[in-house]
Amino acid sequence: MSHSTLSQNSITNPLEASNVSPLHHSGSSTMKVSPRTVLVNWSESNRFKDDSEMDFETFEGIALQAALDNPEGGYDKTNITVTFDNGHAHTCRIDLGCGGNEIGFTDHCVQVLDYAESLKVTDPTHWYLNNQNHIDLVTLVNTYQLDRQLVVLGRTMVLEKVKAVQTQKEAEKQAASELRCNELLSPKMLRR
């Protein structure tokens, strides 16, 4: 899992974000904040230029493509600052790649939440669940309005890409094996 930190200018307490609304349409007393823009501070992916800013949806699409560039493992470290509609800024490093890495900021956040939830079941005394920085991070990420369905779709694309690459590699391996076998069985080799 990659690293998340809150920027110095960010709001660290979700309640300080002025997002408490008893009238929120979801019935929740806490209004979620939506990501609006992403500043790519730096990236190992050639799909991004350092210090470039874009709208959130554009970033997520390019991030997925950058992840798909790594179907055989590996990842491109990418440091970003996401700005939300209430002015909150979240700076983190995400690892864009296949095979358990991340496909964007939303996936990064989902992994943070899923990891914390899984630990509650498998290891409730794990240090992660008792570390105040991680508790604050999970609390904050829970205030974000994120589309998990896009993560599911993106992960499906990743699985398909990985499978296609593996199938291609197996076909190439099989063809090379058949070529070696044919060379050994060729009339020229058999006359020796």
Side-chain angles (χ1 to χ4, degrees), residues 154-185:
R155 288 180 184 175
T156 300
M157 291 175 67
V158 164
L159 290 174
E160 290 171 357
K161 175 80 175 212
V162 168
K163 185 177 179 179
V165 168
Q166 289 172 342
T167 300
Q168 177 67 28
K169 285 208 165 283
E170 284 298 316
E172 290 170 2
K173 186 177 175 182
Q174 181 66 29
S177 177
E178 288 174 8
L179 181 61
R180 282 191 301 276
C181 186
N182 288 338
E183 287 173 353
L184 290 173
L185 296 175

Side-chain angles (χ1 to χ4, degrees), residues 112-126 128-130 135 138-139 142:
V112 166
L113 296 174
D114 289 350
Y115 183 63
E117 286 302 311
S118 72
L119 285 177
K120 288 178 184 177
V121 173
T122 61
D123 190 2
T125 61
H126 192 277
Y128 186 90
L129 296 174
N130 299 302
I135 293 168
V138 169
T139 300
N142 270 314

Side-chain angles (χ1 to χ4, degrees), residues 97-155:
C98 299
N101 291 299
E102 297 157 320
I103 60 172
F105 179 75
T106 301
D107 185 43
H108 169 78
C109 292
V110 167
Q111 287 189 38
V112 166
L113 296 174
D114 289 350
Y115 183 63
E117 286 302 311
S118 72
L119 285 177
K120 288 178 184 177
V121 173
T122 61
D123 190 2
T125 61
H126 192 277
W127 68 268
Y128 186 90
L129 296 174
N130 299 302
N131 178 286
Q132 193 59 50
N133 288 334
H134 294 289
I135 293 168
D136 291 345
L137 176 62
V138 169
T139 300
L140 183 64
V141 170
N142 270 314
T143 70
Y144 296 166
Q145 182 68 44
L146 302 169
D147 189 347
R148 281 182 174 254
Q149 187 60 33
L150 291 178
V151 172
V152 170
L153 293 172
R155 288 180 184 175

Side-chain angles (χ1 to χ4, degrees), residues 21-94:
S21 170
L23 303 176
H24 190 255
H25 63 82
S26 69
S28 170
S29 63
T30 303
M31 184 181 294
K32 302 249 181 189
V33 293
S34 298
R36 292 292 178 225
T37 62
V38 177
L39 171 64
V40 177
N41 300 306
W42 55 263
S43 179
E44 293 176 344
S45 171
N46 61 8
R47 291 188 178 268
F48 295 108
K49 290 182 181 174
D50 293 354
D51 299 316
S52 61
E53 189 169 6
M54 60 197 73
D55 66 84
F56 184 74
E57 292 78 16
T58 299
F59 171 80
E60 290 286 85
I62 296 170
L64 174 58
Q65 292 305 312
L68 291 170
D69 289 343
N70 297 294
E72 297 181 76
Y75 53 87
D76 293 320
K77 291 179 272 207
T78 302
N79 185 280
I80 59 174
T81 300
V82 179
T83 303
F84 290 79
D85 55 7
N86 68 346
H88 167 71
H90 183 122
T91 297
C92 63
R93 189 190 94 194
I94 56 177

